[in-house]
Structures are given as C-alpha cells and as structure tokens.
Amino acid sequence: MTEEIEFILDSTEESMTGSIAHLEKEFLNIRAGKASPAMLGSVFVDYYGSATPLSQVSKISVPDARTITLQPFEKNMLHVIEKAIMIANIGFNPMNNGDVIIISVPALTEERRRELVKQAKVESEDAKVGIRNARKDANTDIKKLEKEGTSEDLCKNAEDEVQTLTNTFIKKIDELLVYKEAEIMKV
C-alpha cells in the first residue's frame, strides 16, 4: 500500500478515535444518579476577569453518593462559585455554609432518566456523524489519489478498509450507548 493511502487510513482512524473520546467525555457529563466531580465539569467561574474551570478554584470532593462538596481555595470565592453553579443550569441548588459549598444531588425521577437517555442518544448520533464525516473525507482523498494515478485496486482496498474502520467505530458507539442507557436507567 502506498504511503499516501496509509496516511489517509491513519488520519481517519485518529479522527474516529477522537469522536469516540469526545462521546465518552460527553457521557461523563450526563449524570447517572451518583454524585461525581465530572458533573461540574461544564461550570466556569469568573476568577479575576477570566473564565476558569471550577476545579481550578476549589477542591471538589464527593463524601457520599448524593453529595458534592466544594472548598474554595480563597474564601471570597464562595458566592462567585455558588452563582456560577446556578448560572450553569445543571439542575443543582448549591448551599453555602460559610466554609464550603454543599450540593445535594437529587435522586433521578423516571421522567428525568428518560430525558437523560434521549440526551445520550443525541450525543451518540453526533459521534456517528463525526465518524461518517471522517469516512467521507477519507474516501474523497482516496478518489483524488485514484485520479492522480494510484492503482484502482489499491484505492478499492483502501475504501474497503475505511468502511471496516467505520463499522468498527459505529459498533463501539452503539456499545457505549447501551452501557450508558443501562447505567442511567438503573435505580
């Protein structure tokens, strides 16, 4: 196989792996009932004029399955952090006791669980679109090589390999979705 085709296949696989990594990261943000520091991953705090991730201005801990505590590194950040959590609109109501912020993670209702499953399905569809776009880009590059004189057989084999990669990654997305759905629906 030519170097160009190997490069196309490697970059396609790298792109598809990136789609899977992004999906796994998005799945971490979809809570499944247990408290986790990852639930606050999308919260940014105004720290001296710049948007800073919550984890960089406070210690986040999970003392039990239903509670998240935040201990700011600077005491004057308590109200700012509290406000940032409210603005993030992630369904939490933070309580401030003067030293730490305590977040009680409410139990999920059946309706909320179904909404989270729908959200997980949307995220997995987005990942599949990323995989298909990588396939389309690879096939376009392979067609260009064919027009430039690369053998038709080599190009056909490369397209088959791209399709095999696509099938493998789509299957992995489906497996991740099934696992996440089970995790969300488990009471």
Side-chain angles (χ1 to χ4, degrees):
M1 213 177 291
T2 67
E3 281 185 33
E4 291 98 348
I5 290 177
E6 282 187 34
F7 177 76
I8 291 169
L9 292 174
D10 288 345
S11 62
T12 301
E13 185 171 2
E14 190 177 312
S15 175
M16 291 179 176
T17 302
S19 291
I20 296 284
H22 179 73
L23 177 66
E24 289 171 337
K25 185 173 169 249
E26 290 301 316
F27 275 0
L28 283 177
N29 291 334
I30 299 175
R31 69 187 185 99
K34 288 190 301 201
S36 160
M39 294 175 167
L40 300 172
S42 62
V43 179
F44 285 84
V45 178
D46 181 26
Y47 186 66
Y48 297 108
S50 65
T52 308
L54 191 56
S55 60
Q56 292 183 11
V57 295
S58 67
K59 178 183 168 222
I60 303 172
S61 56
V62 183
D64 61 58
R66 295 260 176 250
T67 312
I68 301 174
T69 60
L70 299 145
Q71 185 161 18
F73 299 135
E74 297 177 25
K75 202 160 188 134
N76 64 338
M77 293 297 293
L78 274 170
H79 293 296
V80 177
I81 291 172
E82 203 173 8
K83 185 177 174 188
I85 293 169
M86 297 294 272
I87 290 172
N89 197 22
I90 50 178
F92 295 141
N93 192 14
M95 294 176 289
N96 173 352
N97 72 3
D99 288 326
V100 294
I101 295 173
I102 301 166
I103 300 172
S104 293
V105 178
L108 294 174
T109 63
E110 184 70 22
E111 182 181 331
R112 181 67 179 139
R113 288 178 195 277
R114 291 188 194 288
E115 287 174 22
L116 291 174
V117 167
K118 283 181 188 173
Q119 186 180 344
K121 286 180 179 176
V122 166
E123 292 298 340
S124 67
E125 274 308 310
D126 289 347
K128 286 180 182 179
V129 167
I131 300 290
R132 291 183 194 116
N133 284 340
R135 176 186 61 191
K136 184 178 136 231
D137 293 344
N139 285 338
T140 303
D141 291 344
I142 291 168
K143 294 268 190 247
K144 281 182 192 170
L145 286 178
E146 192 174 347
K147 286 180 183 171
E148 292 170 3
T150 304
S151 110
E152 198 175 312
D153 288 342
L154 276 176
C155 291
K156 178 69 178 130
N157 289 343
E159 285 177 1
D160 290 344
E161 212 165 313
V162 168
Q163 187 58 48
T164 302
L165 272 176
T166 303
N167 294 343
T168 303
F169 280 94
I170 295 283
K171 185 176 180 218
K172 180 153 176 67
I173 288 171
D174 290 337
E175 290 168 359
L176 288 170
L177 178 62
V178 166
Y179 177 78
K180 188 64 179 182
E181 278 184 42
E183 183 184 334
I184 291 170
M185 294 309 286
K186 186 174 74 179
V187 179

